[in-house]
Amino acid sequence: MKLLKGTILSFANNPFLVDINDSVKLIESGGVLVDGSFIRDVGEFSKLKSNYPHARVYNYGKNLITSGFVDCHMHYPQTAIIASYGKRLLDWLNEYTFPEEKKFTDKNYARKVASLTLDLCIKNGTTTLASFCTTSINSVDAFFEEAKKRNMSVIAGKTCMDRNAPEYLIDSVNSAYDDSKRLIKKWHNSNRSYYAITPRFAPTSTPEQLDSLGSLWSEYPDCLMQTHLSEQKEEIEWVSKLFPESDSYLDIYDKFNLVKKNSIFGHCIHLKGNEIEMLKERQSSIAHCPTSNTFIGSGIFKMKEISSKKINIGLATDTGGGTSFSMLRTISEAYKISQLNNFSIHPAQLFWLATVGSSISLGLESKIGNIKKGYYADLIVINLASTIEIEQRQKRAKNFWESFFPTLIMGDDRAITKTWVNGNEIKNKLY
Ligand code: GUN
Ligand code: ZN
C-alpha cells in the first residue's frame, strides 16, 4: 500500500449549491491511502500512518493533493494544429482541422498524436479526458490503445459526418452506424475506457445519420453522446437554414433522441431560453470551453444564468480550438469570461468545474474526479508556489483560498509536481 502525505482537498458537496464551507473538505497534514488502483482511506496522516505502518510513504510536504483534472471535451486529432491563426469556426474547420484529421487514417500517425496528447495531459495533471476522434476507426483504436497502455480512464468516439465536409473525411449513414457499433462493443466499459456516440455537429450530419445514431444510442443507452451546440452565430444561422423546420439548434438533436442525461454538449454559448430549459429538464451536461471561446471568438458563456438553473457544467480545453492543455489555464480563462458576465466564480467552484463537474458530465462521478474511499487513485500534487510571481503573491495570502487562487489564475504545468494514474505515480517522459 502507498500513503501520500500533503494537504488534501476534496468535495463533500456542490459549491454552486451549498455554502463553500459545507462544500470543501481540507485536511492539512492529511493522507491518502492507496491500495492497488483505488483510494482505500483518507484522513489525518498520523492516524493513517499508525493504522498502516507498512504503507510506503510519499511525502509531498505542504503541497496540495487533489483529484486529477477531468477534461470533458477535447479533440486529440487537433493537437498538431493548436494555435492556428486568425479564423472563425467554419473556416478554421475547413482550413486547418479537416486537412489535419485526414492524416488519421494512418494508424501510426494516429498513435503518435494520441501518445503525445495523453502525455501532455498527464504532464498538465489531467487524468481523464473525453476526446472526439476522426471519422476513421483507426483514430479511435489508436487513442483507446494508447490510453490503455497508461491505465487512463478515457472517453472517446468516432466522429460521424456524412455531409458538408471534404470527401476524404465523409462517412455514410450505414458506415457510421456499423463502425460506431463495432467500436462500442470493442471499447465501451473495457478496462477504463468508455464510448461516446459522436456526431460532430448538426451541420455535418444528414437527418438520416442523426436518426440512425439516435437508434444506436437506444441500443446502448449507457454510452455517452457528445457533440457541439450553439457555438458561433454564423454556425447557428447555417444550422437554421439546414434544418428550417426545427425550432432551435437543440430541437434538432432532440428530434433524433439525442438529448438525454448522458448527453454532453460542447460550448452552448448562444442558447435560447427554451434550450436552457430543455437541458435542465433532460439533465444533460454542458462542456464549457473558455480558451476556445475566446480564441475562435465564439462569445461569452453565461455561467451565472446557466449554473443558477442547476444544469451540470464541466470544464474542457477543446484543444486544438482551445489554446492550452492545462486545466489551470482553462480555469483562469473561465474565471475571466465569467467576470465579463458579472459573476465572480469562487475558487472552490472553479476547481469543482474542472474535477467533479466534469466527472458528472461523463457519468463517472462515483469513480473519479474526487478524493473518496473506493474512487480510483487518479491524483495530482499541486505546488502552490510554482513560480516566483505566484510565490510572492501566495506568501501574502490570509487564508487557504487566497493562497490557492494565484495558482488557479497564473498556474500551468509547472504547478503540477506529480500526477498519479490508477494508483501509480507517473514517470512521464515529458517531465
Ligand atoms: N464544431 C464542430 N466541430 C468543431 C471542432 O472541431 N471544434 C470546435 N471548437 N467546434 C466545432
Ligand atoms: Zn469541440
Side-chain angles (χ1 to χ4, degrees):
M1 272 190 282
K2 299 165 185 170
L3 181 53
L4 290 73
K5 181 175 189 232
T7 299
I8 319 294
L9 170 72
S10 65
F11 287 99
N13 278 301
N14 183 341
F16 285 95
L17 302 180
V18 303
D19 189 86
I20 299 299
N21 294 324
D22 297 328
S23 152
V24 175
K25 275 172 77 174
L26 204 61
I27 314 174
E28 276 173 45
S29 298
V32 181
L33 186 75
V34 173
D35 186 2
S37 305
F38 298 100
I39 296 168
R40 169 101 170 247
D41 210 346
V42 189
E44 299 293 336
F45 173 78
S46 54
K47 221 167 157 184
L48 290 170
K49 179 69 189 148
S50 66
N51 288 347
Y52 303 93
H54 301 300
R56 176 173 167 193
V57 173
Y58 293 73
N59 188 348
Y60 295 124
K62 289 197 176 317
N63 287 341
L64 198 60
I65 299 173
T66 72
S67 157
F69 292 119
V70 180
D71 179 351
C72 66
H73 176 122
M74 62 102 71
H75 301 254
Y76 97 84
Q78 296 171 12
T79 288
I81 55 142
I82 191 169
S84 292
Y85 173 77
K87 296 280 182 250
R88 303 283 296 168
L89 173 64
L90 300 177
D91 28 36
W92 175 84
L93 285 171
N94 284 316
E95 185 151 334
Y96 301 117
T97 310
F98 293 153
E100 176 62 18
E101 292 191 4
K102 180 183 182 193
K103 299 178 186 167
F104 287 72
T105 48
D106 174 352
K107 185 137 179 220
N108 282 332
Y109 185 74
R111 209 190 296 282
K112 250 194 218 158
V113 181
S115 174
L116 173 64
T117 305
L118 292 167
D119 287 345
L120 284 169
C121 287
I122 291 171
K123 179 171 178 269
N124 279 286
T126 298
T127 47
T128 286
L129 55 150
S131 183
F132 286 58
C133 298
T134 72
T135 43
S136 160
I137 53 171
N138 282 345
S139 73
V140 185
D141 283 333
F143 182 73
F144 279 126
E145 285 166 15
E146 286 301 315
K148 192 173 171 187
K149 275 189 203 164
R150 291 161 178 77
N151 289 313
M152 283 176 87
S153 186
V154 293
I155 297 88
K158 179 202 119 74
T159 295
C160 301
M161 296 197 279
D162 67 343
R163 66 167 170 174
N164 292 324
E167 200 55 46
Y168 56 73
L169 279 182
I170 289 271
D171 55 19
S172 68
V173 175
N174 290 338
S175 72
Y177 175 92
D178 292 342
D179 288 350
S180 302
K181 188 166 183 162
R182 213 155 358 106
L183 289 163
I184 290 170
K185 287 184 181 161
K186 185 167 178 186
W187 291 112
H188 185 58
N189 259 322
S190 148
N191 198 35
R192 301 194 64 194
S193 297
Y194 302 93
Y195 196 84
I197 294 170
T198 307
R200 179 173 216 122
F201 64 158
T204 47
S205 288
T206 57
E208 293 75 22
Q209 182 170 75
L210 293 174
D211 190 39
S212 95
L213 293 176
S215 305
L216 178 64
W217 199 16
S218 65
E219 292 175 50
Y220 298 94
D222 68 326
C223 285
L224 284 116
M225 193 291 301
Q226 58 179 356
T227 190
H228 296 88
L229 174 65
S230 211
E231 181 177 359
Q232 272 201 357
K233 292 238 164 93
E234 300 91 312
E235 168 210 11
I236 297 164
E237 278 166 29
W238 189 29
V239 166
S240 67
K241 286 192 185 117
L242 289 168
F243 296 90
E245 69 293 348
S246 287
D247 293 338
S248 68
Y249 199 155
L250 188 60
D251 184 48
I252 298 164
Y253 294 130
D254 184 41
K255 285 230 160 68
F256 301 109
N257 298 313
L258 294 168
V259 187
K260 297 186 192 174
K261 188 162 190 288
N262 293 349
S263 309
I264 172 159
F265 294 99
H267 304 290
C268 298
I269 295 184
H270 306 285
L271 295 178
K272 296 193 260 180
N274 53 1
E275 292 177 293
I276 295 174
E277 290 307 320
M278 188 189 292
L279 290 174
K280 176 181 162 69
E281 184 223 316
R282 303 291 171 82
Q283 298 176 276
S284 303
S285 288
I286 292 174
H288 174 35
C289 311
T291 71
S292 168
N293 299 160
T294 49
F295 182 71
I296 313 184
S298 302
I300 294 181
F301 180 71
K302 299 186 185 78
M303 178 64 76
K304 186 177 184 179
E305 183 182 352
I306 292 179
S307 64
S308 75
K309 296 280 181 186
K310 301 181 183 159
I311 294 170
N312 180 61
I313 304 166
L315 196 64
T317 63
D318 193 36
T319 48
T323 52
S324 179
F325 292 91
S326 165
M327 289 293 278
L328 287 172
R329 290 210 173 176
T330 309
I331 280 172
S332 179
E333 202 84 341
Y335 179 78
K336 293 174 203 164
I337 286 196
S338 196
Q339 285 286 71
L340 292 171
N341 188 219
N342 256 321
F343 179 46
S344 308
I345 314 181
H346 189 277
Q349 295 171 323
L350 288 165
F351 207 71
W352 166 278
L353 291 172
T355 52
V356 187
S358 282
S359 72
I360 294 171
S361 73
L362 301 172
L364 295 175
E365 70 273 22
S366 60
K367 294 185 170 77
I368 60 159
N370 208 347
I371 298 187
K372 286 190 180 181
K373 274 183 209 175
Y375 277 45
Y376 279 95
D378 292 345
L379 305 165
I380 52 178
V381 180
I382 307 178
N383 175 4
L384 298 186
S386 60
T387 65
I388 294 166
E389 46 276 55
I390 292 175
E391 184 186 21
Q392 59 86 37
R393 176 62 186 92
Q394 191 245 0
K395 265 191 200 154
R396 288 163 175 75
K398 295 190 200 74
N399 57 45
F400 171 74
W401 295 115
E402 263 197 43
S403 132
F404 194 13
F405 197 56
T407 291
L408 293 176
I409 296 304
M410 296 196 288
D412 53 29
D413 58 291
R414 290 169 290 179
I416 310 299
T417 56
K418 288 286 173 229
T419 302
W420 282 63
V421 175
N422 204 49
N424 290 307
E425 190 189 69
I426 300 299
K427 310 265 181 282
N428 187 307
K429 63 176 187 273
L430 295 178
Y431 275 102

